[in-house]
Amino acid sequence: MLTTHPFDDDKLREECGIFGVSGATTASAMVALGLHALQHRGQEAAGITSWDGREFHTTRAMGHVAGNFDNDEAIRALPGEVACGHVRYSTTGETSLRNVQPLYAELSTGGFAVAHNGNISNAMKLRRELIRRGSIFQSTSDTEVIIHLVATSSYRTLLDRFIDALKQVEGAYSLICMTAEGMIACRDPLGIRPLVMGKLGDAVIFASETVAFDVVGADYIRQVEPGELIVVPHGASAEQIRSHRPFGEVHPRPCIFEHVYFSRPDSIVDGSSVYSVRKSIGAQLALENPVEADYVIPVPDSGVPAAIGYAQQSGIPFELGIIRSHYIGRTFIQPGDQVRHLGVKLKHNANRALIDGKRIVLIDDSIVRGTTSLKIVQMMREAGAKEVHMRIASPPTRHSCFYGVDTPERTKLLAHKLDIGGMRDFIHADSLSFLSIDGLYKALGEAKRADIRPQYCDACFTGDYPTALTDQDEAEVRDQLELLSERVS
């Protein structure tokens, strides 16, 4: 099977995008539009839950937002002035409709719906404990653990139950929850996953990225701060919206890869233009890793801003040496390397007249397994490139992410298996260089990475995980015991 974007198969994928509206006449229609803007954050499934003042309504579907929520019938099935939605890739739980969010349950306090971006790194341990106490799970999603923790909490009010639940979980989460009392939006204490707040007339809006506000015509107010819970009662005025900070002061560690790849370039993340940051990353890459060449060529589409920055800093002309077709839908091709390679060319093709006989610098955002880079270099060679130099706008990805990103096992990461020279030989490039970790921080406005208190979660590059990884640690112990048992037997 060949996916819609052949070159994107070897990318780190953000697990989810979330969008919520409180106080809009056409809330579900607005959520559908917002999810369209966040489609890049999850293309496996989508869902919307609305509340009409009496009951909740939910529609969940596999596939894109378009085709599921772009018609009047779908929107009419989701009435009310309050709604939240979710687009999904799976990193925990299998690909099935029962794991599509928002998840909804009837609790003793009333209906409760939740849309979650992130990953609970102790979800399996909590799940086992909850099942022993009598909880019955309907999905394999880590998000459902939050619902059961709320349901079984001994606190009286729903807000206190919710806070009690969050204090038991580890990892990363940005949440939009709907109850009969109102909407709650929150981020984990480290702020690993993004969440922003906006306004359109009297409606309050929350989203994973500011670009979703642009699509619906809303104004960006501010980010939801790390560890903050914002409560919006139904029909609330601005004065009735409440901010709670139940977790105490913690040094934030937002995900640095939002700036490198995850977020759309037209979004604002942590107060900075993603597009401008990526250009700065490209400029820093040129300073650290210069090379003599005829053209700077981006790997479409994620490498474009960094390539512009590299070209401007180096003085080497920027050119589009790989042309991407945006009119090829999902393509299913029988196995076979030759036919599969032809399928790739349906989506991307070398600009042969430009490349033939030239020395080129290819700019991409990352190397994961290395299969994508290998295909691209091969394509450039076949188009007649005299030299192919690869420059990567981030440090080597040597570690897996456990905070809501679809990352291969560490043993499958090319930078974990090989040094730079080995990686260069694997992709058959004339040279290969990566941006340094200090260079990445400089592009983000920091002097360098602070060894004691880094400003971002950069665990995929450094292995410095900012939270406990209970489930992962237990899995590693089990694997070691199984391996020992095999050796003894």
Side-chain angles (χ1 to χ4, degrees):
M1 183 181 74
L2 181 69
T3 61
T4 307
H5 306 307
F7 283 174
D8 293 347
D9 287 345
D10 192 28
K11 296 290 187 184
L12 299 181
R13 289 173 172 171
E14 171 67 82
E15 182 186 351
C16 305
I18 56 178
F19 189 96
V21 180
S22 178
T25 304
T26 55
S28 59
M30 193 178 296
V31 170
L33 288 172
L35 293 180
H36 270 290
L38 300 174
Q39 187 74 83
H40 61 287
R41 300 184 74 90
Q43 299 179 37
E44 181 180 276
I48 297 176
T49 296
S50 70
W51 187 74
D52 64 6
R54 294 169 298 167
E55 58 182 325
F56 290 84
H57 308 267
T58 298
T59 302
R60 301 183 295 168
M62 305 303 296
H64 288 187
V65 179
N68 287 311
F69 296 101
D70 58 353
N71 58 81
D72 291 340
E73 182 179 356
I75 299 304
R76 282 197 300 269
L78 296 162
E81 296 187 352
V82 183
C84 70
H86 188 273
V87 287
R88 179 180 193 261
Y89 279 124
S90 60
T91 64
T92 61
E94 80 272 12
T95 300
S96 67
L97 191 60
R98 66 174 177 162
N99 286 331
V100 180
Q101 299 184 30
L103 297 183
Y104 175 80
E106 287 285 345
L107 309 183
S108 62
T109 53
F112 185 85
V114 58
H116 171 209
N117 173 210
N119 193 59
I120 306 304
S121 58
N122 64 336
M124 293 306 298
K125 180 180 180 181
L126 291 171
R127 184 187 182 98
R128 289 194 299 269
E129 293 172 354
L130 287 161
I131 290 173
R132 280 197 295 266
R133 286 155 47 188
S135 292
I136 300 172
F137 280 76
Q138 301 298 314
S139 76
T140 58
S141 169
D142 62 327
T143 308
E144 191 178 357
V145 167
I146 296 173
I147 294 177
H148 286 276
L149 289 174
V150 174
T152 58
S153 173
S154 60
Y155 283 84
R156 186 178 61 84
T157 70
L158 179 59
L159 180 60
D160 287 338
R161 287 183 171 202
F162 184 55
I163 292 171
D164 179 42
L166 295 183
K167 286 184 175 180
Q168 298 177 62
V169 303
E170 301 168 355
Y173 55 84
S174 283
L175 303 170
I176 298 175
C177 304
M178 289 169 48
T179 75
E181 299 174 9
M183 178 171 283
I184 306 172
C186 69
R187 288 174 80 187
D188 67 79
L190 294 173
I192 297 175
R193 301 262 66 87
L195 191 62
V196 290
M197 181 179 181
K199 194 170 179 60
L200 179 62
D202 293 329
V204 179
I205 306 175
F206 299 98
S208 293
E209 292 184 39
T210 62
V211 67
F213 297 156
D214 299 335
V215 169
V216 301
D219 295 323
Y220 167 60
I221 297 175
R222 64 178 179 87
Q223 69 172 348
V224 178
E225 296 296 330
E228 182 182 20
L229 280 74
I230 299 178
V231 180
V232 185
H234 294 314
S237 63
E239 295 74 24
Q240 292 173 306
I241 297 173
R242 294 287 180 264
S243 172
H244 302 266
R245 297 178 182 270
F247 304 111
E249 289 295 326
V250 180
H251 180 65
R253 294 279 299 276
C255 175
I256 203 167
F257 219 83
E258 291 287 348
H259 296 279
V260 174
Y261 175 69
F262 294 146
S263 295
R264 271 182 41 167
D266 44 345
S267 282
I268 305 295
V269 174
D270 299 325
S272 298
S273 159
V274 174
Y275 178 78
S276 296
V277 167
R278 289 179 185 166
K279 284 180 62 179
S280 296
I281 286 173
Q284 185 65 31
L285 183 63
L287 288 170
E288 292 184 358
N289 302 289
V291 64
E292 292 186 5
D294 299 303
Y295 297 129
V296 173
I297 293 174
V299 176
D301 289 321
S302 58
V304 172
I308 293 172
Y310 192 102
Q312 291 176 345
Q313 179 63 44
S314 66
I316 302 172
F318 171 94
E319 293 287 356
L320 296 178
I322 303 172
I323 306 303
R324 178 170 181 167
S325 170
H326 293 272
Y327 302 99
I328 303 298
R330 189 172 182 86
T331 308
F332 295 89
I333 296 177
Q334 294 299 317
D337 289 343
Q338 182 178 2
V339 178
R340 183 179 295 275
H341 186 61
L342 293 175
V344 170
K345 289 186 175 182
L346 288 173
K347 196 70 183 181
H348 297 84
N349 193 42
N351 188 351
R352 183 178 296 271
L354 174 77
I355 293 168
D356 192 20
K358 298 297 191 296
R359 302 166 300 169
I360 62 171
V361 185
L362 287 170
I363 309 294
D364 204 356
D365 58 86
S366 61
I367 290 181
V368 183
R369 293 180 181 88
T371 53
T372 292
S373 300
L374 177 63
K375 291 177 186 176
I376 296 169
V377 172
Q378 180 182 354
M379 181 183 289
M380 297 296 98
R381 300 285 192 200
E382 292 174 352
K386 183 179 179 181
E387 296 176 10
V388 181
H389 302 276
M390 198 87 179
R391 296 294 180 266
I392 306 301
S394 63
T397 303
R398 294 192 171 98
H399 305 271
S400 300
C401 177
F402 303 101
Y403 299 124
V405 178
D406 186 10
T407 315
E409 295 177 5
R410 189 180 180 191
T411 55
K412 296 180 181 179
L413 296 171
L414 192 65
H416 172 71
K417 298 186 290 185
L418 301 172
D419 60 14
I420 303 299
M423 296 174 73
R424 178 201 62 221
D425 294 342
F426 177 86
I427 67 174
H428 302 308
D430 290 284
S431 72
L432 170 67
S433 296
F434 292 79
L435 184 66
S436 69
I437 189 67
D438 283 349
L440 180 54
Y441 273 78
K442 287 177 182 177
L444 286 161
E446 305 292 335
K448 59 182 292 189
R449 184 185 192 271
D451 293 333
I452 299 175
R453 296 184 66 186
Q455 299 298 107
Y456 295 91
C457 176
D458 51 25
C460 53
F461 306 131
T462 65
D464 178 11
Y465 295 99
T467 76
L469 301 174
T470 299
D471 291 342
Q472 177 64 21
D473 292 342
E474 290 182 352
E476 290 179 357
V477 170
R478 287 195 301 271
D479 291 343
Q480 291 172 3
L481 290 174
E482 289 176 5
L483 180 60
L484 181 60
S485 176
E486 290 173 1
R487 288 176 178 174
V488 171
S489 61

